[in-house]
Amino acid sequence: MQLASAVDPQLADLSNKLIYSAMVVYTLAMFAHMIEWTFGSKGAVAVRSTEQAGSLAETVAAAGKKAAKKVTVTVAGAGGGTTTLTRTAVAGEGATVVTSGRGADEEDGPGAAGTNERADLAGRIAVSLTVLGLLLHGGGIVARGLSVSRWPWGNMYEFSCAFAFAMTAAYLVLLAAKRKVRWLGLPVVLAGLLTLGIATTVLYTDSEQLVPALHSPWLAIHVSTAIFCGGAFYAAFIATLLYLGKDSFDKRMAAGLTTGPMGTSASIWRRLPAASTFDKLSYRINALVFPLWTFTIIAGAIWAEAAWGKYWEWDPKETWSFITWVAYACYLHARATAGWKGRKAAYLALAAFACWLFNYYGVNIFVTGKHSYAGI
């Protein structure tokens, strides 16, 4: 984009209206997703699968009376697929049974709508509304940039709008790629609404030109990668929280503290992916985005040298970016070398995301430094 000294007030006003319109549509999508979860299946698929697996003992006993053989039984999985369970039976009445296969606590649930057709319709409506909201949202970002003829992420308000857009777009891309992630719709839309709400009420800044230090190609490179990293870190954060919740639910089930498929809370946890799925998802996202976060810090240092004459001055923003990098490095190192999985690794991931969150909101709002010239 070419630099310009003037601000187009009509485009700036259009940008604001489009952002507010997107928030309204996202709100409708959130309610549609809530209806989907509320009226979704109560875990009937998972219960039926468990009942089928329970009859496996009779099959093994019958096989054991005839000869030693391996018996494989395939039952319907909770996620709509199949589960293969294998038993090796030794001939004789007192057959010894060796069990292998994927346990029920490792099976992914059927999703937000479960097997309920009305809930599925609500989910589809929610996705359609999310697409419409994203188009309005993107239009607002573009209009904001055109109003001042520059990249539209020069301050916290613009960054937050772009960040919320990236989160929602990534979710819809996964859906378009036929991934079974519609359960992500509610937390993603809710997070997007919260981000835009804070942006429009606390962080809002009128459309205006930036200080000379920000007139650089590195604005597009450094900030755009930071936006992508933030969206990815947030997705991993959601997966980590859901892992902790699902793991706790599974433990309560194993201890007999939660019985039966009834109850809204139990139904929701049954329809979500397995705890191990969340754990792997969080790790993979953080591992994939960590090199990009490293590049973001390096790009910022190069930009700092061009603007201020020094690569690094331990400015509060630089310091907390480095602290965030160290926190995620510790998490990945623990997973790769110490073999940490499960709750210990999840707590490390939450601590690392807390560092990123403070680096964005806390440092920008409450701490004064060289990065404060862009305003909030």
Side-chain angles (χ1 to χ4, degrees):
M1 292 185 181
Q2 298 296 322
L3 296 178
S5 58
V7 176
D8 188 328
Q10 292 183 336
L11 283 175
D13 183 63
L14 175 62
S15 172
N16 293 339
K17 290 178 179 178
L18 287 173
I19 292 296
Y20 282 115
S21 298
M23 292 176 66
V24 172
V25 176
Y26 283 150
T27 301
L28 295 176
M30 180 187 68
F31 283 122
H33 274 301
M34 292 173 66
I35 293 173
E36 177 187 21
W37 279 103
T38 301
F39 295 101
S41 169
K42 303 302 181 182
V45 175
V47 173
R48 186 162 56 251
S49 174
T50 302
E51 292 173 350
Q52 290 175 340
S55 64
L56 191 57
E58 299 178 2
T59 304
V60 174
K65 293 179 181 179
K66 297 180 179 179
K69 62 184 297 186
K70 183 177 290 186
V71 181
T72 300
V73 177
T74 301
V75 298
T82 58
T83 300
T84 301
L85 302 176
T86 303
R87 301 291 189 274
T88 300
V90 180
E93 295 291 338
T96 300
V97 180
V98 181
T99 305
S100 65
R102 202 176 184 204
D105 59 342
E106 294 181 345
E107 280 295 302
D108 289 344
T115 56
N116 188 290
E117 293 183 1
R118 292 183 178 180
D120 182 67
L121 176 61
R124 293 178 184 275
I125 292 174
V127 171
S128 300
L129 288 170
T130 304
V131 172
L132 176 59
L134 187 72
L135 293 176
L136 294 170
H137 191 168
I141 294 174
V142 172
R144 176 83 173 194
L146 292 176
S147 69
V148 283
S149 299
R150 60 168 172 80
W151 294 99
W153 40 72
N155 50 57
M156 283 192 70
Y157 167 74
E158 295 173 356
F159 185 98
S160 296
C161 289
F163 173 55
F165 179 87
M167 286 192 298
T168 310
Y171 160 66
L172 292 176
V173 167
L174 289 174
L175 281 181
K178 306 299 182 182
R179 301 292 183 180
K180 295 181 179 180
V181 294
R182 205 164 78 189
W183 53 270
L184 265 175
L186 182 57
V188 166
V189 171
L190 179 59
L193 273 173
L194 289 174
T195 303
L196 289 177
I198 295 174
T200 55
T201 57
V202 179
L203 307 176
Y204 180 77
T205 303
D206 289 332
S207 185
E208 58 187 14
Q209 290 298 327
L210 302 175
V211 297
L214 292 181
H215 291 163
S216 169
W218 287 105
L219 175 65
I221 299 172
H222 172 66
V223 182
S224 61
T225 54
I227 290 171
F228 180 85
C229 289
F233 285 147
Y234 178 79
F237 167 70
I238 291 179
T240 302
L241 285 183
L242 290 175
Y243 160 74
L244 291 172
K246 187 63 183 287
D247 183 62
S248 297
F249 173 77
D250 290 342
K251 289 180 178 179
R252 292 198 305 272
M253 286 288 294
L257 301 178
T258 303
T259 58
M262 70 292 292
T264 302
S265 177
S267 172
I268 290 175
W269 288 118
R270 287 178 184 272
R271 282 177 280 158
L272 284 171
S276 59
T277 299
F278 287 129
D279 187 39
K280 293 174 184 176
L281 178 62
S282 175
Y283 172 66
R284 288 170 181 171
I285 293 175
N286 286 325
L288 285 173
V289 80
F290 182 73
L292 188 60
W293 180 248
T294 305
F295 171 78
T296 302
I297 296 176
I298 294 173
I302 296 173
W303 189 6
E305 196 279 332
W308 304 322
K310 290 185 178 180
Y311 288 101
W312 198 270
E313 293 189 79
W314 293 105
D315 177 78
K317 193 72 173 177
E318 296 171 345
T319 302
W320 275 95
S321 294
F322 179 69
I323 291 174
T324 302
W325 185 90
V326 171
Y328 277 106
C330 290
Y331 164 75
L332 295 175
H333 177 76
R335 288 290 302 246
T337 58
W340 277 24
K341 294 182 180 180
R343 303 188 75 86
K344 292 189 296 182
Y347 294 142
L348 271 179
L350 292 181
F353 183 75
C355 291
W356 182 90
L357 209 60
F358 180 78
N359 182 40
Y360 178 51
Y361 286 108
V363 173
N364 285 341
I365 296 175
F366 302 110
V367 182
T368 302
K370 283 194 171 184
H371 286 76
S372 302
Y373 53 66
I376 62 172

